[in-house]
Amino acid sequence: MRGRSPDQTRQRLLAAASELFAAQGYHGTTVREIAQRAGVNLAAGNYHFGSKRELYLEVLRAYFQSLQAELRERGASPAPAELARLRPRQVREALHARIEVMLDRLVGPAPGPHALLMQREMADPSEAMPVIVREFIRPMMNDLEALVARLAPRIGRRAVVYSALSIVGQAMFYRFAKPAVLRVLRQGGYTRELTGVLGEHITQFSLGGVAALASRPKGRRHAS
């Protein structure tokens, strides 16, 4: 450990924490185990992060920062002013790109440890869940809701929120139900071709649902 910089120690702790939280969950992992995996002493973990909760949140911050960067690079997260200028076809393309990124991150074909980490968090929430929703999930949902609202500006706020949740739910289904889905589809695993097909299907299915909501009589539309 001699000669290791504080930044190197921090990065080793984050890498070890990512692996252990993904494999064992938040509740099943201790800071001592993380320090041992990272090859540093326990005091170093406490010095850099203060608590297991803060280390967990830092792992998620790094993940969501990389996710946001990928969404921007693939045109799936236009800024509000840019979104307002997009034509309907371009908004649909942005939605499709966003769904593709979700599937890439959730099912792969080679998803990283963060996909399993988030699956564990959803199934067995940690004490950090309120912060996770406020700091990470809510901003992501805001961006998705903005795309839906741009596609169907008259369907009402509640319908926009439910539509965005339904889109996320479709993508997450293929992660949570992976063993059964692959058997139903007679596939040995998620391939690039298969996730591409699924991304196209979720996009078209979601666009059809949003269009159906927009075509309802005005009174029923706003009741959603």
Side-chain angles (χ1 to χ4, degrees), residues 99-167:
I99 290 168
E100 286 186 323
V101 172
M102 279 194 283
L103 286 173
D104 287 346
R105 292 290 183 123
L106 288 169
V107 303
H114 294 99
L116 181 56
L117 190 156
M118 286 305 299
Q119 180 179 345
R120 287 184 175 278
E121 178 65 30
M122 295 302 105
D124 185 20
S126 70
E127 63 191 71
M129 175 59 84
V131 180
I132 292 170
V133 172
R134 182 178 68 250
E135 189 172 331
F136 309 131
I137 295 177
R138 186 64 260 174
M140 297 287 293
M141 290 303 298
N142 287 345
D143 290 345
L144 180 55
E145 289 165 14
L147 290 174
V148 173
R150 183 72 173 79
L151 288 166
R154 297 181 180 86
I155 64 173
R157 173 63 183 166
R158 187 182 300 177
V160 166
V161 173
Y162 288 166
S163 297
L165 288 170
S166 293
I167 292 168

Side-chain angles (χ1 to χ4, degrees), residues 48-118:
H48 283 280
F49 298 101
S51 67
K52 183 172 79 168
R53 178 177 179 273
E54 288 306 311
L55 176 53
Y56 186 65
L57 287 171
E58 197 61 28
V59 167
L60 290 174
R61 285 190 186 98
Y63 170 68
F64 277 96
Q65 285 171 3
S66 71
L67 176 56
Q68 288 283 24
E70 183 178 1
L71 288 168
R72 289 192 295 270
E73 289 171 5
R74 293 173 62 169
S77 185
E82 180 187 358
L83 179 58
R85 294 192 298 268
L86 295 182
R87 297 178 179 180
R89 175 184 59 80
Q90 294 172 307
V91 180
R92 291 192 292 270
E93 290 172 352
L95 177 62
H96 186 196
R98 194 173 191 90
I99 290 168
E100 286 186 323
V101 172
M102 279 194 283
L103 286 173
D104 287 346
R105 292 290 183 123
L106 288 169
V107 303
H114 294 99
L116 181 56
L117 190 156
M118 286 305 299

Side-chain angles (χ1 to χ4, degrees), residues 190-201:
Y190 286 115
T191 63
R192 181 62 58 195
E193 180 182 6
L194 177 56
T195 55
V197 170
L198 294 175
E200 180 66 25
H201 169 75

Side-chain angles (χ1 to χ4, degrees), residues 13-14 16-31 34 52-53 55-57 59 113 116-117 120:
L13 284 164
L14 286 172
S18 295
E19 295 170 0
L20 287 171
F21 284 138
Q24 302 175 180
Y26 177 83
H27 300 292
T29 301
T30 67
V31 176
I34 294 169
K52 183 172 79 168
R53 178 177 179 273
L55 176 53
Y56 186 65
L57 287 171
V59 167
L116 181 56
L117 190 156
R120 287 184 175 278

